[in-house]
Amino acid sequence: RFLDPDERVRTALIQHVCEACAQGIGPLEPLLLEVGNRVQDKKATVRSAARTTLCALYRKHLTNTALHWIPQRLLSSYGNDNSSSNSEGCREIEGLMHSTLLPSEAAPRLRALCAMHAALQPRHRKVLHVVLLRGKRQAQQHTALWLDLHAKLKANPKDTPLKAKVAQVVAAMSSTMAEPPKAREIWEHLASCKDKNICRHIRPCRS
């Protein structure tokens, strides 16, 4: 059924297998490996379902060495989608690596990242470094944009479209961080802070 011509069937099967594995892998491991093969399915909806559910499963069972292949399979598919959606696929994987694969709390996240890195093969580590560097560059770009918009908003605090742009940038920045709600709260607090040195302290983060 993993090769069923109907993408809806393939997607449903992926979801059912991963739901069944949530409590334990056991005899379902062969089926889970088949789900792993769908991360490069010809249909974007199936690829996305496989990637998302596998990442969530890996996060739930971090200590299960039987799932160490999941980050490797995810990184193997990075940049290997068909040409029409390759960049979109890269962005999806980057987002999953940052927001879904690992715990959100700082200490468990660092331990999980180190354990994952140690289990990766050299070629997958190189891809991971690319993903992390792209995330860093994106964060720098968002910070630079936030600083620019913040300065404009200070000069014209009643500009509604400008407020909307700031909100969009804050939402984008927060979504890539370990704890999005807390990150959003911090950025909003910084925006309302009257300390004139705040921007000066944030400015080095943009480069």
Side-chain angles (χ1 to χ4, degrees):
R1 305 303 290 177
F2 280 106
L3 298 178
D4 194 285
D6 190 334
E7 64 185 274
R8 293 171 298 180
V9 173
R10 301 200 301 277
T11 301
L13 185 55
I14 286 168
Q15 294 169 340
H16 290 321
V17 169
C18 288
E19 286 174 5
C21 289
Q23 301 305 317
I25 313 303
L28 295 174
E29 186 173 358
L31 287 177
L32 197 58
L33 291 172
E34 288 292 339
V35 173
N37 292 333
R38 294 300 97 209
V39 300
Q40 288 186 265
D41 193 275
K42 61 183 179 180
K43 290 292 185 178
T45 53
V46 181
R47 290 197 300 270
S48 183
R51 292 167 179 173
T52 302
T53 52
L54 285 174
C55 283
L57 193 64
Y58 178 82
R59 179 173 175 170
K60 186 176 179 64
H61 299 286
L62 281 173
T63 58
N64 191 334
T65 56
L67 298 181
H68 281 178
W69 59 269
I70 289 178
Q72 300 195 55
R73 189 66 58 86
L74 190 67
L75 292 167
S76 292
S77 68
Y78 186 80
N80 289 323
D81 290 347
N82 60 66
S83 57
S84 64
S85 60
N86 199 33
S87 60
E88 184 179 338
C90 287
R91 286 193 297 271
E92 179 184 44
I93 292 172
E94 289 164 13
L96 289 170
M97 294 292 291
H98 287 294
S99 65
T100 308
L101 188 70
L102 301 174
S104 58
E105 299 80 7
R109 185 181 183 85
L110 180 58
R111 288 196 298 270
L113 179 60
C114 291
M116 181 184 75
H117 188 273
L120 292 175
Q121 296 178 9
R123 61 192 179 94
H124 294 125
R125 288 178 185 170
K126 291 180 180 179
V127 179
L128 176 62
H129 296 162
V130 170
V131 171
L132 294 177
L133 286 173
R134 280 175 62 94
K136 177 184 176 183
R137 284 196 294 270
Q138 186 181 54
Q140 290 171 332
Q141 291 168 356
H142 282 151
T143 302
L145 181 57
W146 183 88
L147 287 167
D148 180 56
L149 293 172
H150 180 69
K152 292 178 180 178
L153 195 58
K154 283 289 186 182
N156 191 2
K158 294 184 179 181
D159 190 327
T160 303
L162 201 55
K163 288 181 180 179
K165 287 182 181 179
V166 171
Q168 288 176 354
V169 173
V170 168
M173 287 192 293
S174 302
S175 67
T176 61
M177 295 181 180
E179 298 181 72
K182 183 179 291 186
R184 187 179 296 108
E185 182 181 336
I186 290 171
W187 279 110
E188 289 172 353
H189 174 72
L190 290 173
S192 63
C193 186
K194 295 182 179 180
D195 187 345
K196 295 181 179 179
N197 291 318
I198 286 294
C199 289
R200 180 170 61 84
H201 292 312
I202 295 175
R203 208 164 283 126
C205 296
R206 67 183 180 181
S207 60

